[in-house]
Amino acid sequence: MTHELIALLMFASMLVLLLTGQRVFAAIGFVASAMVLMLYGTGGIEIPFSAAFKLFNWFPMLTLPLFVYMGYVLSESGIAEDLYKMLHVWFGRVGGGLAIGTIFLMVIISAMNGLSVAGMAIGATIALPEMLRRGYDKVLITGVVQGGSSLGILVPPSVVMVLYGMIARQPVSQLWLAGMIPGLLMATMFVIYVVVRVKLKPELAPIVSDEELNMPMREKLKLLRAGIIPFLIFFAMTGLFIMGVTSLVESSAVGASAATLAAAVKGRLSFKMVHETARKTLGVSCMFLWLILAALAFGAVFDGIGAVRAVEDIFLNRWELTPWQVIIMMQVSFIVMGMFLDDTAMLVIVAPLYIPLVKVLDLGFENQLIWFGVLYTMTCQIAYITPPFGYNLFLMRAMAPKEISLPDIYRSIWPFVAMMTFTIALVLLFPQIALWLPEFVRG
């Protein structure tokens, strides 16, 4: 068999197993192990085994459970709920103020957590019921929560970027910095959309009544303390890391310790909370671990047969695609796959093929893998909320109040998909939107 046919067989086998409902890591790992036995015999099992053992030499792997733990502590201890109360009071008199405050809340939660799941849970269980009770349009606010929660994988400390950095062997600090400006740009677009939409149709977002917001200025200022803890945690974790005071692993440990200390100061550090946080952290961390192991094994076999070079020859020599056409084709494939898979599954499937290909493309600037990591992460945001099987769509349906139906959820996301697509187009046309900040800090 030619290299092309072997590569096609590997991908086809993997997709068939995924369609049967098998877990992603099991499907990928099985194909890698079975293929290496077929190609090289029993001695070939050393190839995926050696690749998998690289995982235990990656110190950044220690950051995953610590970042996940930090996010769940902040969620389970009610610190995020206190944040929403503060935003409710300070933005309540503005047209669409609670929706705008929810977007800010999602950015803050993203900066503390790094996963979209926590932001989605907080938005669906805390923000949505409050806004529905005050007469907000359910389609508008459902889109706000889904769009805002997707920022968790772009704003530092993005766990998805940590995963990409480990697989692509790129510095996580550079990826975090590269994601900050696109993430804030996207959040700004969301806020502008809400302001304009409410200005055109005020009935979508009634202003909160004076009875609910009529409190002394002293009480309002006291509520601002709810925002101090998240800021201190974010600075202690990300700020010290960017300034070079702490390493990535030390930064994650600082964040986890600061979150635990904050919960204790609030008087909410109980055995039940710690047990629930540890259980959820273990489940998410083990999922990431198995996915990375499977990706490394699959990538080692895939690259070992020369499939990457064969695909490179097809795209650039036989089809004569330009480097930018290849990049756009990759982005389209992410959106298509994102209708059926989550971000981590997409990454481990395409990493063996796309990352080596991006390295050899001549795009006219440096740090192509950093820039591509931002593009990948932004496209994953669209994949999260794209019908028919967007990951966040079903999470929202499971956690949202019963008056919000699945058709409402589907209708709500299209303006946010359009804004995300526009942001991706800007980063494609002007790579320095993503690369300026990491180059500035590094240089």
Side-chain angles (χ1 to χ4, degrees):
M1 295 178 67
T2 63
H3 294 163
E4 292 88 343
L5 285 177
I6 295 174
L8 184 61
L9 177 62
M10 290 181 69
F11 270 103
S13 303
M14 180 179 60
L15 291 175
V16 169
L17 287 176
L18 290 173
L19 290 173
T20 63
Q22 296 295 324
R23 294 185 181 274
V24 174
F25 73 84
I28 297 172
F30 174 79
V31 170
S33 301
M35 190 59 66
V36 80
L37 288 173
M38 291 172 59
L39 293 172
Y40 304 109
T42 55
I45 201 67
E46 293 293 330
I47 296 177
F49 181 79
S50 299
F53 245 84
K54 293 178 183 178
L55 184 66
F56 301 107
N57 293 324
W58 286 354
F59 284 100
M61 190 67 211
L62 295 172
T63 64
L64 282 174
L66 290 172
F67 282 139
V68 174
Y69 167 82
M70 177 189 68
Y72 279 124
V73 165
L74 295 171
S75 176
E76 297 290 331
S77 63
I79 293 175
E81 185 175 355
D82 294 342
L83 266 176
Y84 186 77
K85 290 179 181 177
M86 178 198 76
L87 294 170
H88 163 62
V89 170
W90 280 91
F91 287 91
R93 297 188 187 276
V94 180
L98 291 185
I100 296 171
T102 299
I103 294 173
F104 284 125
L105 173 66
M106 295 297 164
V107 174
I108 297 171
I109 296 300
S110 300
M112 295 188 300
N113 180 267
L115 291 169
S116 70
V117 177
M120 172 69 73
I122 292 165
T125 57
I126 299 174
L128 273 184
E130 288 294 318
M131 288 189 284
L132 285 173
R133 187 168 65 85
R134 291 168 172 81
Y136 273 62
D137 179 71
K138 60 182 180 179
V139 174
L140 173 67
I141 59 177
T142 302
V144 164
V145 170
Q146 290 184 99
S149 65
S150 66
L151 295 170
I153 62 172
L154 189 59
V155 178
S158 167
V159 173
V160 173
M161 284 189 172
V162 174
L163 183 62
Y164 174 87
M166 287 188 290
I167 293 178
R169 298 299 182 93
Q170 296 298 304
V172 176
S173 59
Q174 298 289 297
L175 288 165
W176 280 359
L177 290 169
M180 286 185 69
I181 292 179
L184 294 176
L185 176 62
M186 200 176 292
T188 303
M189 287 186 184
F190 293 171
V191 171
I192 293 173
Y193 165 74
V194 171
V195 170
V196 172
R197 187 87 191 277
V198 172
K199 192 74 173 177
L200 295 175
K201 295 186 69 174
E203 65 272 15
L204 295 178
I207 297 176
V208 180
S209 64
D210 291 337
E211 290 77 11
E212 291 185 274
L213 299 179
N214 192 13
M215 64 172 59
M217 182 57 68
R218 179 183 297 178
E219 293 296 323
K220 290 186 177 182
L221 293 175
K222 189 180 295 185
L223 282 174
L224 283 176
R225 292 186 302 181
I228 296 176
I229 290 178
F231 173 78
L232 292 176
I233 293 174
F234 179 73
F235 175 77
M237 176 184 60
T238 308
L240 294 177
F241 172 60
I242 292 175
M243 291 188 296
V245 178
T246 59
S247 67
L248 178 63
V249 177
E250 291 168 345
S251 176
S252 63
V254 167
S257 302
T260 305
L261 181 62
V265 169
K266 288 278 189 178
R268 298 167 183 172
L269 187 65
S270 63
F271 175 80
K272 180 180 179 182
M273 190 273 286
V274 172
H275 178 268
E276 186 66 17
T277 298
R279 186 181 65 82
K280 292 180 178 179
T281 301
L282 181 63
V284 173
S285 301
C286 289
M287 177 193 71
F288 276 117
L289 180 67
W290 280 110
L291 281 169
I292 296 172
L293 284 171
L296 289 172
F298 189 91
V301 179
F302 197 75
D303 189 48
I305 62 174
V308 173
R309 290 182 291 278
V311 172
E312 176 187 333
D313 179 68
I314 291 174
F315 287 167
L316 300 180
N317 297 327
R318 298 188 194 178
W319 291 359
E320 298 182 350
L321 297 176
T322 67
W324 289 102
Q325 287 174 331
V326 174
I327 292 292
I328 292 172
M329 185 182 66
M330 290 177 181
Q331 299 306 114
V332 172
S333 71
F334 284 145
I335 294 177
V336 173
M337 285 190 294
M339 296 180 183
F340 309 96
L341 301 169
D342 62 19
D343 55 346
T344 52
M346 283 194 293
L347 181 58
V348 297
I349 288 172
V350 303
L353 176 61
Y354 285 0
I355 290 176
L357 189 55
V358 173
K359 285 182 182 179
V360 302
L361 292 177
D362 183 14
L363 299 173
F365 57 89
E366 298 179 358
N367 298 322
Q368 292 179 181
L369 285 179
I370 297 293
W371 171 77
F372 183 74
V374 175
L375 281 180
Y376 159 77
T377 307
M378 294 171 71
T379 311
C380 283
Q381 291 179 295
I382 295 179
Y384 269 151
I385 59 176
T386 304
F389 303 114
Y391 186 63
N392 276 10
L393 298 177
F394 295 103
L395 275 178
M396 172 62 76
R397 185 65 194 92
M399 294 185 288
K402 60 183 180 180
E403 55 263 46
I404 295 178
S405 64
L406 193 58
D408 293 330
I409 294 172
Y410 281 172
R411 286 167 50 208
S412 70
I413 52 91
W414 295 114
F416 296 89
V417 169
M419 287 182 280
M420 291 176 181
T421 305
F422 179 67
T423 309
I424 291 175
L426 288 178
V427 176
L428 275 169
L429 293 171
F430 308 103
Q432 285 303 309
I433 293 176
L435 297 179
W436 175 81
L437 186 57
E439 290 175 357
F440 174 78
V441 173
R442 184 180 58 187

